[in-house]
Amino acid sequence: MDHLIEVQNLKKYFKTPRGMLHAVDDVSFTIEKGKTLGVVGESGCGKSTLGRVIIRLLDATEGHIYFKGTDIAGERHTRKLRQHMQIIFQDPFSSLNPRMSVSEIIAEPLKIHGVCKSRRAVEEKVRELMETVGLAERLANAYPHELDGGRRQRIGIARALALDPQFIVCDEPVSALDVSIQAQILNLMQDLQEERGFAYLFITHDLSVVKHISDQIMVMYLGMVVEKAETQELFDRTLHPYTKALLAAIPEPNIRRVRKQELLRGEITSPIDPKPSCRFAARCPYGEEICFSETPPLEEVLPGHYAACHRVREINGLESGRDEDGTSVSI
């Protein structure tokens, strides 16, 4: 199957007074047309930077980004890519121009790229996009400060859809919204994906949200991928200690059910000029000498299930052919 997006060994470093900050470090993955890759991890792990590098809002330090087989990492003329690759920003208020009305914000990409040949065509397209995302026509002349968070985010989605892109980076698009509004926006995004075949890179720190919308999940920690698998596989058979801790932090609605706690202790490793090691080692309850001296590779531990941990087989009972709850597995 052809990949719509293929990322190989992508790196993004930032120069600081103390050295090079490794925001994204050797990340690789693929996304098929009509599929969603969820990227999860705590704040500062490089999720948003990864998304911005892929759509060329930031230049990559090293690595390759293939869009429909064409390497765009070194592409200087990025304007033509904007019709195919868009982003929905995290904050639905700061990402909108407060001096422009709803219709002007949605029409802006249409005018910049010359998609519509007349003013009437622009107005018709804006009305169509507002209807698609559930914005009432009466709001066309309203300004962002007059609307609630849900409507503002719908404006951001309409703007992203204006050029009929094939790939959309969703940078925590529901984190600033109330829970009831989150569900509306997520359902809207899934309906649009089914209708138009978008591929999503869905960035979030909320595993409950990413389970609902993603086909695959990639877990990041301090710029590196520590686990990657199909969504249900990752939740059914979590391998990496960091992912286990993230899952343990999800609130349990059933008060009669006791969930095993995975408490993280220790200091977070500095992402500035990190030495070869597992970056999670200082907080990992299973850390050993090798974890502090060698960087673990991201390897296929189970079919289609990847993890970067020196002791992943040992701590999950895979060396003996059984996982931690005694279920037989294929090695």
Side-chain angles (χ1 to χ4, degrees):
M1 185 181 294
D2 293 333
H3 305 306
L4 181 67
I5 297 291
E6 183 175 0
V7 174
Q8 295 181 355
N9 308 112
L10 189 65
K11 299 180 181 180
K12 178 58 181 178
Y13 300 163
F14 293 97
K15 188 175 182 180
T16 73
R18 295 173 52 198
M20 298 300 292
L21 188 152
H22 293 215
V24 176
D25 212 349
D26 202 22
V27 171
S28 301
F29 61 86
T30 60
I31 307 177
E32 312 294 343
K33 181 179 179 181
K35 299 294 184 180
T36 300
L37 173 66
V39 182
V40 299
E42 58 196 59
S43 298
C45 72
K47 307 184 301 294
S48 296
T49 301
L50 173 64
R52 290 167 187 250
V53 171
I54 291 172
I55 65 169
R56 299 302 317 283
L57 290 181
L58 296 171
D59 290 330
T61 302
E62 289 183 28
H64 301 279
I65 307 166
Y66 295 95
F67 176 71
K68 299 174 70 173
T70 301
D71 192 351
I72 62 172
E75 178 65 56
R76 293 297 178 186
H77 304 289
T78 57
R79 182 169 175 174
K80 62 183 180 182
L81 295 174
R82 295 288 174 253
Q83 289 186 272
H84 308 295
M85 306 171 74
Q86 285 288 314
I87 184 170
I88 301 170
F89 293 98
Q90 177 177 358
D91 187 344
F93 186 63
S94 64
S95 64
L96 304 177
N97 189 333
R99 297 178 179 272
M100 298 176 71
S101 67
V102 172
S103 60
E104 289 172 335
I105 291 170
I106 299 174
E108 188 175 26
L110 300 172
K111 295 176 180 178
I112 291 175
H113 291 270
V115 173
C116 300
K117 303 302 181 183
S118 66
R119 181 177 178 179
R120 186 180 185 85
V122 171
E123 292 174 351
E124 291 177 356
K125 182 68 173 178
V126 169
R127 277 197 297 269
E128 176 189 326
L129 288 166
M130 289 182 65
E131 182 180 352
T132 298
V133 301
L135 283 171
E137 188 175 347
R138 61 182 173 80
L139 300 175
N141 295 318
Y143 287 84
H145 72 272
E146 300 176 294
L147 306 175
D148 59 27
R151 289 191 176 93
R152 290 172 190 158
Q153 195 60 286
R154 289 174 189 268
I155 298 170
I157 295 173
R159 180 176 59 185
L161 298 180
L163 300 177
D164 295 319
Q166 299 175 54
F167 172 65
I168 301 177
V169 172
C170 309
D171 187 5
E172 302 208 38
V174 297
S175 64
L177 308 178
D178 293 337
V179 174
S180 59
I181 305 300
Q182 285 185 12
Q184 294 176 20
I185 297 299
L186 289 173
N187 290 334
L188 169 63
M189 293 176 66
Q190 287 185 304
D191 291 342
L192 290 170
Q193 186 179 46
E194 292 177 6
E195 177 186 334
R196 305 192 182 192
F198 301 134
Y200 288 142
L201 179 74
F202 195 93
I203 298 167
T204 183
H205 61 271
D206 190 333
L207 277 163
S208 300
V209 169
V210 83
K211 182 180 182 180
H212 177 72
I213 199 170
S214 301
D215 298 291
Q216 275 192 320
I217 295 178
M218 186 170 74
V219 182
M220 291 184 66
Y221 185 79
L222 288 184
M224 303 189 75
V225 178
V226 296
E227 189 164 1
K228 182 171 63 174
E230 298 289 331
T231 299
Q232 198 57 50
E233 165 69 13
L234 186 135
F235 276 82
D236 290 345
R237 200 189 304 275
T238 310
L239 298 179
H240 198 280
Y242 177 62
T243 312
K244 292 175 187 285
L246 290 180
L247 289 175
I250 299 176
E252 175 56 63
N254 185 353
I255 61 174
R256 300 180 185 276
R257 180 179 175 183
V258 179
R259 174 180 284 159
K260 181 181 178 181
Q261 295 295 310
E262 298 282 347
L263 299 178
L264 297 181
R265 297 180 173 86
E267 293 294 327
I268 298 176
T269 303
S270 173
I272 298 177
D273 294 328
K275 297 178 181 178
S277 67
C278 172
R279 296 183 187 176
F280 185 61
R283 303 172 71 192
C284 181
Y286 307 100
E288 288 189 345
E289 184 178 349
I290 189 174
C291 304
F292 292 90
S293 59
E294 295 182 21
T295 302
L298 184 69
E299 57 180 339
E300 190 172 16
V301 180
L302 296 170
H305 196 150
Y306 298 80
C309 176
H310 290 298
R311 301 187 61 199
V312 64
R313 290 181 172 84
E314 178 186 350
I315 64 179
N316 289 285
L318 300 180
E319 291 181 327
S320 61
R322 294 184 176 275
D323 66 11
E324 58 185 355
D325 63 5
T327 305
S328 296
V329 296
S330 56
I331 302 179

